[in-house]
């Protein structure tokens, strides 16, 4: 939905040899910026791992692209890109895990067991880090456990998911009244 926003969203890639404040990418979102920024802060205060977000102006030819109407209040939400720098900042003792982005418009958009072949997952899941390592075993095993009824037990889920983090996520999303496509509404995105 936000891909067609007006004013548009922006993704800024920064050269690796000249990073901005240690970052190599930022996402500037134009939709409901105050809610995004406040939501990010509250979620992190609740103990969720998430992207840092702050208000920012986007200038094109020295003109601020943000409007004062349509929920922007004159600013974009500058959202941290989930990548290896994000992992190092938010998980300094365990930053080697995989970060996935999910394209919800490529079915199936839920946690369905697709079999043991990694290529059945690579059309939906895209790595935000560790992309040079063709290792999808974690996402395959997650789907094997949560995408079927025969293995879905507390003992089996704990090795593939941080249960406390997921429960905190569901609680915070419930308090927010978040009805977007995400695990709290039955989808594997956001």
């Amino acid at each position: 939905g936000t891909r067609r926003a007006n004013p548009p969203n922006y993704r800024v890639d920064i050269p690796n040899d000249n990073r901005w404040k240690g970052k190599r990418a930022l996402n500037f979102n134009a939709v409901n910026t105050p809610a995004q920024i406040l939501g990010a802060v509250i979620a992190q205060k609740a103990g969720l791992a998430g992207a840092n977000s702050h208000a920012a102006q986007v200038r094109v030819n020295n003109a601020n692209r943000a409007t004062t109407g349509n929920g922007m209040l004159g600013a974009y939400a500058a959202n941290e890109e989930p990548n290896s720098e994000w992992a190092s900042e938010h998980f300094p003792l365990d930053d080697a895990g995989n970060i996935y982005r999910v394209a919800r418009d490529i079915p199936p958009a839920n946690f369905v067991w697709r079999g043991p072949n990694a290529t059945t997952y690579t059309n939906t899941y895209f790595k935000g880090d560790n992309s040079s390592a063709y290792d999808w075993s974690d996402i395959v095993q997650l789907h094997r456990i949560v995408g079927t009824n025969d293995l879905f037990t507390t003992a089996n889920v704990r090795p593939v998911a941080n249960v406390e983090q997921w429960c905190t996520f569901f609680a915070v999303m419930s308090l927010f009244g978040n009805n977007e496509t995400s695990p709290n509404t039955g989808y594997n995105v956001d």
Side-chain angles (χ1 to χ4, degrees):
T2 64
R3 291 181 187 144
R4 294 182 280 276
N6 189 14
N9 299 323
Y10 291 96
R11 177 186 162 86
V12 176
D13 290 313
I14 303 159
N16 280 332
D17 62 347
N18 192 20
R19 295 181 183 196
W20 182 74
K21 295 188 177 183
K23 305 292 182 214
R24 61 182 167 131
L26 280 171
N27 296 311
F28 293 91
N29 197 301
V31 179
N32 298 321
T33 58
Q36 282 187 59
I37 296 164
L38 181 62
V41 170
I42 292 171
Q44 287 182 355
K45 293 287 186 187
L48 285 176
N52 293 330
S53 182
H54 63 274
Q57 288 189 357
V58 173
R59 294 186 169 274
V60 176
N61 295 328
N62 206 27
N64 183 12
R65 296 287 294 152
T67 63
T68 55
N70 77 351
M72 289 184 79
L73 301 180
Y76 277 80
N79 298 318
E80 181 181 26
E81 174 71 14
N83 55 26
S84 56
E85 285 85 19
W86 176 87
S88 294
E89 182 177 332
H90 295 277
F91 295 98
L93 301 177
D94 186 21
D95 63 353
N98 292 317
I99 300 170
Y100 294 98
R101 179 181 57 84
V102 178
R104 72 171 174 237
D105 50 354
I106 302 174
N110 51 21
F111 292 105
V112 173
W113 168 241
R114 305 175 194 181
N117 188 343
T119 59
T120 62
Y121 300 88
T122 58
N123 70 329
T124 307
Y125 291 88
F126 303 91
K127 286 191 174 192
D129 69 337
N130 300 328
S131 57
S132 62
Y134 193 81
D135 180 8
W136 300 79
S137 58
D138 55 348
I139 205 76
V140 172
Q141 187 63 11
L142 173 71
H143 281 73
R144 178 63 183 106
I145 301 299
V146 302
T148 59
N149 288 329
D150 62 328
L151 294 176
F152 190 78
T153 66
T154 302
N156 288 339
V157 169
R158 285 206 175 274
V160 298
N162 181 327
V163 175
E164 288 73 21
Q165 183 80 195
W166 281 52
C167 287
T168 302
F169 169 82
F170 289 124
V172 169
M173 293 302 111
S174 179
L175 289 171
F176 283 170
N178 183 358
N179 291 319
E180 286 196 26
T181 53
S182 68
N184 61 296
T185 58
Y187 297 90
N188 61 352
V189 299
D190 291 349

